[in-house]
Amino acid sequence: MCRPSPGGFIPDGPEWIVTVRPRSLRRSWRRQALPLLFVLPALLVYALFILWPFVNTIYFSLTDWDGAQPVKNFIGLANYREMFADPLMWLSLRHNLIWIALGTLTPVVIGLVLANLVWSGVKGRILFRTIYFMPVVMASVVVGIIWHWIYHPLFGPINEVLRAVGLEEVARGWLGDYDWALYALLLAGLWAYFGFCFVILLAALQGIDMELHDAAMIDGAGSFKRFWHVTVPQLAPVLTMLTAFTLIGGFNVFDIIFVTTRGGPANATDVLATYTYRQAFTLNEAGYGATLTMMITVLSLVASYTFITLRERGQ
Amino acid sequence: MKRYLWLLTVLGMTAALLLAACVPVAEEGPEKVEILFWDQFPDVSDQMDALVARFNDSQDGIEVVRESYTTEAMRDVIRTALSSGTGPDLFYYDLGPGFAGVLAQAGLLLPLDEAYTEQGWDQRIYPWTLARSTFDGHVYGVANELEFIGVFYNMRLFEEHGWSIPNTWEELVAMCGPIQEAGLIPLAFTNGSSWPSYHMFSIVMNNKVGRDRLTRMISGIDSWDHPDTVDAIQKFFVDLPAAGCFMDDFDAVSYDDGLALFQTGSAAMLPSGTWLVEALSNPDYTTEPIGFFFLPSIDGNPVVVPGGIGSGWVVSSASEHPDAVLEFLDYLISDEMGTSWVTEINAVPAYPVDTADLDLPALLVLALDIIGSQAESMGYNIDVVVPAGFNQVQWDSFAAIFQGIKTPEEVAAELQAAMDEAIAAGEVVNLTE
């Protein structure tokens, strides 16, 4: 005999209920709990080092904390109102956007072209890979010192070359020039980063389906068409990942600017991260610094999400 | 068999541990109290280590552990370290309201009022220095390393070319042309690191408005948005570069490079402070004979020595051994240490030191004489006594003037706006009281 139940019909009889259903439940619980148990340590670490500070940052952004006082006065959205009216925040954001516009696509394109050239069978592949990747393993401080020397107004090689070829009027104190300092730093940043894109793309090229290449060649496609229509589509997931990664990096750029110009001269190289640092640690405005941090986080999330969504929709 | 071997090994190790525990250990002296001490003397680290070792050797109950930081690194970590309870017991820090003042107001520093009277420091230290580390009516710091700013000059070059020390601002500006024609840099001022412009503003303002009025301006009583401020800014930040007194691209050249140009005889003058005495009098670093003069008179006003406290000693309120810390601090400002500060560190302490029998570099003797005779009437090194927001305006705005994107009038107004903001936030120290 069976009786109706929300899930259908189950047989009558206490034995079935006692002996069969709980065992099934136990199995189901084990099936669900065991993976959770494995994930738990990582989850705890994530919660402790990512979620908890993030929640704290949101809280700090709603206070007037100076970074030292034990008391944090709740001031609601006052910091957010101040931020949107702060001209230096907008100037810093503008610099971030310039960095992103020029600094996101350029290293990916350079990396893609170089990876394709090396992949196509050029001699000295390991040597090229090592040379291109070398700036990536350098600490930002080292990169900053190298470029500080390259741009040095008195004896830097760039100015020396310009003077040697009769372009004295072009030579200048690159990192002290209001109009050029940001672009000078951007170039240094690109130099330090394109090797990363190169190595990732070179690795991705190893997984390219050569049969498609051969088929395209038989169909009469030239090398550029094969590259554009066969290679690039197969690299799409990696290109998406790299672009998203670089995009987020564009909002978070800090170290190379901090060790070279500290945002100067006259805020010419200030980006959101250096401005945030100054507010929080130099001007004792930790609450406002947290608000700027929230701004960086939101911008990074929105930009990455939008880019990845558009990319997936395109695919 | 293997199992027995394993058992025997475990038993053997346990027995060894038990025996070790029963063996009487050699009698040790009383346990020493450990003090964590952070300073900002990485350049003279060996000398500082020796001074600390001397104190440790003289003590049965205190062991000072020294760690050295750069100024920037100290500013970056100190708040977090103190707030988390892992910071130093005693540290060397800027005594201004934007630095030690913030820590004091957060309750992270130990008030030293009682220590001053009990240890007799109030009789030893120059009394005017107390006001610079007093917040909410309590003294939180002990000044160390007094310094002032002026112009170092290359005596050989001056003699060879027949140049003489300028007595007026106009004479100084007029010197730039001939010095440039001689193929030299007139003033090795550089602003690649932005902070040197603070000091230049200080030396011009001291001579322009005088000590008393500057005291009122720093205290938030008189306005910075005034034609005199505009004129002071105009003179140094607009007129001097226009007269060719600085090198090309001076705002992209680092402070150290400017110093190197002066040390090697490529520049005739270097406007800077007495913290360079060691670098400019030690023949290992500078072979040129160097002299010193104060920025000449502006508009016939008297020359005011822009000086102040480099930094000072402050004690963490969380220190578990405040008595031991105060004992070490007493050593740091003792007569014995006074001589060491002068001879080993080449710094001018904030209390009189008998240097009669010491063989000191001429520049250092000059610095000691000036501080000894003018300590009470000295002007201000402005950035040391103003809030952080005011300094930030100096940092950004003077660079903006050099870049031609701000005028002296705009900067004077910005300085006053920063001062108004600091007054509203209770960050301004009243130096008139």
Side-chain angles (χ1 to χ4, degrees):
Chain A
M1 283 289 286
C2 292
R3 57 184 170 81
S5 80
F9 287 86
I10 53 169
D12 278 339
E15 316 87 305
W16 190 92
I17 294 167
V18 172
T19 56
V20 180
R21 201 169 176 195
R23 191 178 293 165
S24 157
L25 270 175
R26 273 202 300 272
R27 276 188 199 141
S28 160
W29 184 85
R30 272 184 202 155
R31 264 203 304 275
Q32 286 173 12
L34 206 61
L36 254 178
L37 210 64
F38 288 130
V39 173
L40 196 62
L43 197 67
L44 282 174
V45 170
Y46 182 79
L48 190 65
F49 292 105
I50 306 288
L51 287 182
W52 178 241
F54 183 68
V55 170
N56 259 311
T57 306
I58 296 173
Y59 167 60
F60 292 154
S61 74
L62 303 172
T63 69
D64 65 351
W65 191 40
D66 68 358
Q69 294 272 1
V71 179
K72 303 170 186 73
N73 297 313
F74 183 79
I75 54 168
L77 296 174
N79 282 333
Y80 288 88
R81 278 195 293 274
E82 185 185 338
M83 180 177 72
F84 288 116
D86 182 353
L88 282 180
M89 188 284 287
W90 290 111
L91 180 70
S92 304
L93 178 59
R94 196 175 134 226
H95 294 155
N96 271 104
L97 294 176
I98 291 171
W99 195 281
I100 287 162
L102 298 175
T104 300
L105 210 58
T106 315
V108 177
V109 170
I110 294 173
L112 181 61
V113 171
L114 289 175
N116 201 57
L117 286 173
V118 172
W119 178 64
S120 64
V122 71
K123 279 186 181 174
R125 182 175 162 158
I126 295 173
L127 180 71
F128 282 117
R129 203 169 55 189
T130 310
I131 290 171
Y132 293 148
F133 194 65
M134 202 179 286
V136 181
V137 297
M138 285 182 186
S140 298
V141 176
V142 178
V143 173
I145 290 169
I146 289 173
W147 282 88
H148 207 276
W149 175 76
I150 289 173
Y151 286 133
H152 199 287
L154 300 178
F155 51 76
I158 288 187
N159 280 354
E160 290 289 311
V161 169
L162 288 171
R163 289 184 189 114
V165 298
L167 292 170
E168 291 91 354
E169 68 278 8
V170 181
R172 65 194 64 230
W174 298 94
L175 296 179
D177 189 301
Y178 189 81
D179 297 322
W180 284 96
L182 184 69
Y183 301 100
L185 284 178
L186 184 55
L187 182 64
L190 292 178
W191 177 81
Y193 184 69
F194 84 91
F196 176 75
C197 301
F198 164 78
V199 166
I200 297 289
L201 288 165
L202 189 61
L205 281 167
Q206 312 306 317
I208 291 287
D209 186 349
M210 291 309 293
E211 284 180 4
L212 289 174
H213 255 270
D214 295 341
M217 203 186 299
I218 290 165
D219 288 346
S223 55
F224 180 76
K225 277 195 172 173
R226 288 203 305 278
F227 169 72
W228 190 249
H229 293 291
V230 179
T231 306
V232 170
Q234 291 190 69
L235 292 176
V238 177
L239 286 170
T240 305
M241 183 274 289
L242 271 180
T243 311
F245 197 71
T246 317
L247 196 68
I248 295 168
F251 280 114
N252 294 332
V253 59
F254 174 79
D255 36 17
I256 194 164
I257 294 175
F258 190 72
V259 298
T260 47
T261 61
R262 289 204 159 219
N267 309 105
T269 58
D270 250 333
V271 288
L272 283 174
T274 54
Y275 187 54
T276 301
Y277 176 88
R278 198 160 65 240
Q279 287 293 334
F281 296 102
T282 306
L283 298 176
N284 308 310
E285 298 279 359
Y288 188 54
T291 312
L292 291 164
T293 306
M294 292 310 301
M295 176 80 161
I296 297 173
T297 308
V298 169
L299 286 172
S300 302
L301 283 175
V302 169
S304 308
Y305 179 78
T306 309
F307 174 75
I308 292 169
T309 309
L310 287 175
R311 188 74 194 83
E312 281 172 356
R313 201 174 291 169
Q315 281 177 328
Chain B
M1 185 64 189
K2 269 184 183 173
R3 188 185 296 172
Y4 286 120
L5 266 177
W6 184 84
L7 195 65
L8 275 173
T9 310
V10 170
L11 281 172
M13 286 174 73
T14 313
L17 281 171
L18 286 171
L19 278 171
C22 295
V23 173
V25 290
E27 193 102 349
E28 282 182 6
E31 199 172 312
K32 283 190 167 186
V33 164
E34 197 172 279
I35 295 172
L36 185 57
F37 167 53
W38 287 5
D39 68 34
Q40 295 180 31
F41 296 104
D43 298 343
V44 282
S45 209
D46 291 345
Q47 293 93 316
M48 282 303 294
D49 277 341
L51 299 180
V52 171
R54 216 182 296 161
F55 175 80
N56 284 340
D57 291 344
S58 71
Q59 294 293 316
D60 292 329
I62 304 172
E63 178 76 19
V64 176
V65 178
R66 172 179 177 259
E67 292 175 7
S68 193
Y69 291 79
T70 62
T71 302
E72 294 299 336
M74 180 76 88
R75 288 175 184 173
D76 286 346
V77 301
I78 194 68
R79 272 186 301 173
T80 314
L82 291 177
S83 304
S84 63
T86 58
D89 295 284
L90 175 71
F91 58 105
Y92 193 62
Y93 201 53
D94 311 67
L95 293 182
F99 302 98
V102 173
L103 302 180
Q105 278 165 358
L108 296 170
L109 300 184
L110 189 73
L112 299 173
D113 310 76
E114 279 182 24
Y116 260 92
T117 48
E118 282 173 9
Q119 308 268 3
W121 297 344
D122 52 348
Q123 305 300 314
R124 205 181 306 168
I125 304 279
Y126 292 125
W128 62 270
T129 63
L130 268 70
R132 311 278 173 102
S133 57
T134 300
F135 309 104
D136 293 333
H138 295 286
V139 186
Y140 286 92
V142 179
N144 189 61
E145 206 183 2
L146 301 184
E147 51 198 27
F148 55 81
I149 307 165
V151 184
F152 294 99
Y153 71 101
N154 186 316
M155 293 196 288
R156 178 184 63 81
L157 291 174
F158 267 55
E159 196 179 320
E160 280 177 11
H161 293 87
W163 300 321
S164 51
I165 294 172
N167 292 311
T168 63
W169 178 262
E170 289 70 25
E171 284 179 22
L172 175 69
V173 178
M175 286 177 77
C176 294
I179 295 175
Q180 240 191 355
E181 283 164 21
L184 295 163
I185 299 162
L187 285 158
F189 167 76
T190 56
N191 204 40
S193 40
S194 290
W195 61 261
S197 57
Y198 294 1
H199 294 148
M200 300 306 106
F201 181 58
S202 287
I203 58 176
V204 187
M205 280 300 286
N206 273 280
N207 281 6
K208 179 72 189 176
V209 303
R211 174 190 158 85
D212 291 343
R213 194 161 140 220
L214 195 54
T215 307
R216 291 196 301 276
M217 292 168 90
I218 290 167
S219 304
I221 299 166
D222 284 4
S223 176
W224 291 86
D225 190 6
H226 188 280
D228 285 344
T229 313
V230 174
D231 187 50
I233 296 171
Q234 172 77 27
K235 277 190 160 54
F236 195 93
F237 298 96
V238 180
D239 295 349
L240 285 188
C245 295
F246 304 154
M247 70 186 82
D248 289 342
D249 301 317
F250 63 91
D251 45 1
V253 181
S254 71
Y255 179 77
D256 289 340
D257 287 336
L259 171 62
L261 286 167
F262 180 66
Q263 285 174 306
T264 51
S266 301
M269 296 176 276
L270 171 69
S272 194
T274 47
W275 53 89
L276 286 181
V277 163
E278 161 72 5
L280 295 176
S281 37
N282 187 333
D284 290 342
Y285 307 132
T286 310
T287 50
E288 297 283 338
I290 304 298
F292 181 88
F293 62 86
F294 288 109
L295 191 80
S297 166
I298 295 174
D299 303 336
N301 295 334
V303 172
V304 178
V305 178
I309 304 162
S311 285
W313 309 110
V314 278
V315 181
S316 165
S317 60
S319 174
E320 291 175 6
H321 311 290
D323 292 339
V325 174
L326 294 180
E327 192 166 340
F328 178 55
L329 184 46
D330 191 55
Y331 164 78
L332 287 174
I333 55 173
S334 62
D335 289 340
E336 175 200 350
M337 270 298 294
T339 312
S340 296
W341 284 119
V342 173
T343 56
E344 294 170 44
I345 314 288
N346 269 6
V348 182
Y351 51 96
V353 177
D354 182 9
T355 56
D357 299 327
L358 302 176
D359 183 21
L360 299 173
L363 273 179
L364 187 57
V365 172
L366 178 74
L368 284 162
D369 284 350
I370 289 167
I371 284 176
S373 60
Q374 301 196 40
E376 299 291 333
S377 59
M378 227 182 240
Y380 298 94
N381 187 4
I382 296 169
D383 66 278
V384 176
V385 286
V386 293
F390 190 93
N391 281 337
Q392 191 60 50
V393 172
Q394 294 195 75
W395 178 286
D396 293 332
S397 299
F398 295 140
I401 292 179
F402 289 137
Q403 297 289 331
I405 54 177
K406 276 184 187 168
T407 63
E409 287 82 3
E410 286 172 325
V411 174
E414 284 179 10
L415 288 172
Q416 183 54 39
M419 184 53 74
D420 288 340
E421 204 172 302
I423 291 168
E427 295 171 347
V428 176
V429 174
N430 190 347
L431 296 173
T432 60
E433 289 173 349

